Amino acid sequence: MPDFASDAESSRAAKVALRTRLLAARRSKSPENLSSAALATRSTLLTAIRTQSPTVIAAYVPLGPEPGGPELPEALRSVYAAPAPLPDPFHSVPSPVILLPVLLPDGDLDWALYEGPSSLQPGARGLLEPIGRRLGVAAVSEASFVVVPALAVDRRGVRMGRGGGSYDRALARVAPTAFTVALLHDGERVDTVPAELHDRRVGATITPTEGLSAPPDWTK
């Protein structure tokens, strides 16, 4: 008879070891490396957004050495600041609506609109969160383009976060047709992430050097 409890414990231990190693690698990166990596990551991300033209984007505010840099929300808000000329000179592509998360006491994520740097305030666990009206945990289902943090993503699209489960719950509410992408540093695309039943997959990853990539067998 399979020992499911033992398997789950082994998976959790392997995940903790991988998470510890990747966090240490992030902390070792120089400010110059982080800045150049963030620029490259945002450039690839904005190109993908311009290609898909979503009207609602769910994202987050990167902190410390997280990929994308703290300028990420403002870059998303201004993605159509200089749109390509359209046949009708009186119309242009509107800026997308940006949803940012608000961490709830139970670890779930509420959502509110991002309306510029002044709309952010310090929140729980050192996060920067929007101060606007809360839209509810289900608001993320309105987004057709979803950007999530991750420490690693494997070839199946299995994502590993920091262990709180907040984004696994959020991703469970995302529309099946939404484009989901995790931002990573180089070296954080891995062959296998130790997976548990609650772990959610993403449809693509972005790294500074390799750019946008869809895990080749993530739907299997």
Side-chain angles (χ1 to χ4, degrees):
M1 177 180 296
D3 188 345
F4 294 113
S6 178
D7 289 347
E9 184 62 31
S10 176
S11 178
R12 282 192 290 271
K15 189 179 289 187
V16 168
L18 178 60
R19 183 178 291 119
T20 299
R21 177 174 65 81
L22 293 173
L23 285 171
R26 285 189 175 186
R27 288 193 295 268
S28 71
K29 294 181 181 297
S30 69
E32 295 77 17
N33 179 280
L34 291 172
S35 179
S36 62
L39 283 172
T41 297
R42 290 198 302 270
S43 176
T44 300
L45 178 62
L46 297 186
T47 297
I49 290 171
R50 292 188 185 101
T51 298
Q52 300 195 31
S53 299
T55 56
V56 181
I57 300 172
Y60 62 101
V61 185
L63 294 179
E66 287 188 321
E71 302 87 359
L72 178 62
E74 192 63 11
L76 295 175
R77 193 167 72 119
S78 62
V79 65
Y80 300 135
L86 299 177
D88 183 345
F90 300 102
H91 294 82
S92 62
V93 180
S95 296
V97 171
I98 309 298
L99 300 179
L100 295 182
V102 177
L103 185 65
L104 297 174
D106 67 354
D108 210 341
L109 297 177
D110 203 336
W111 299 85
L113 296 181
Y114 174 68
E115 299 178 286
S118 63
S119 70
L120 298 177
Q121 67 180 3
R125 302 180 190 176
L127 302 174
L128 285 176
E129 300 176 336
I131 61 176
R133 180 172 64 89
R134 306 286 179 86
L135 302 175
V137 297
V140 70
S141 66
E142 300 297 321
S144 59
F145 198 107
V146 181
V147 187
V148 299
L151 284 174
V153 174
D154 73 11
R155 55 187 170 79
R156 301 164 296 168
V158 176
R159 169 192 168 275
M160 185 181 73
R162 289 179 174 266
S166 300
Y167 278 92
D168 287 317
R169 282 188 265 183
L171 285 168
R173 302 182 182 109
V174 169
T177 55
F179 183 82
T180 56
V181 58
L183 306 185
L184 301 172
H185 287 298
D186 291 333
E188 294 177 347
R189 285 178 182 156
V190 298
D191 287 338
T192 304
V193 167
E196 299 176 69
L197 291 177
H198 64 268
D199 290 325
R200 294 283 169 168
R201 301 184 183 192
V202 293
T205 59
I206 292 176
T207 67
T209 300
E210 297 177 347
L212 180 68
S213 175
D217 56 347
W218 73 279
T219 57
K220 295 181 181 178

